[in-house]
Amino acid sequence: MGTVDFGGVLKEVCLEYLPDLEVGEYTIVHVGFALQRLDEESALQSLELYRKLGALEEEFGDQWGLAARQAGERRPPGTDERTPR
């Protein structure tokens, strides 16, 4: 097991498929498993694409705010950005 930084969100993932993965390397993670090593350029291009698609915010970001924006509503009372998720 290892800790992976998803743009500031730290998650434990299984490194069974990439046991030699080192700190500072990039990987594709799916359902908690590190599946493939990426070079930095490919990783940064992928991250930018996910940002443009809103996938990073959807996965790790402001869930209350995202739901409110998608519904065309204001954030529900008591759900400011400091509210634990």
Side-chain angles (χ1 to χ4, degrees):
M1 297 297 287
T3 303
V4 175
D5 182 344
F6 293 91
V9 176
L10 301 178
K11 291 194 173 192
E12 290 295 311
V13 301
C14 179
L15 301 176
E16 186 72 24
Y17 301 126
L18 297 172
D20 60 339
L21 193 68
E22 295 184 18
V23 172
E25 290 187 300
Y26 294 89
T27 183
I28 292 175
V29 175
H30 181 64
V31 294
F33 288 84
L35 298 177
Q36 179 179 349
R37 183 178 282 112
L38 293 174
D39 62 82
E40 185 174 18
E41 182 180 346
S42 296
L44 295 176
Q45 287 174 351
S46 296
L47 286 170
E48 182 58 28
L49 177 61
Y50 289 128
R51 270 189 208 96
K52 287 180 181 177
L53 295 172
L56 293 179
E57 184 175 84
E58 183 178 317
E59 180 70 22
F60 303 113
D62 175 14
Q63 299 300 314
W64 286 108
L66 178 63
R69 284 193 303 279
Q70 287 175 341
E73 301 291 332
R74 295 180 60 193
R75 175 188 293 277
T79 62
D80 67 20
E81 292 181 25
R82 293 180 304 276
T83 302
R85 297 180 203 14

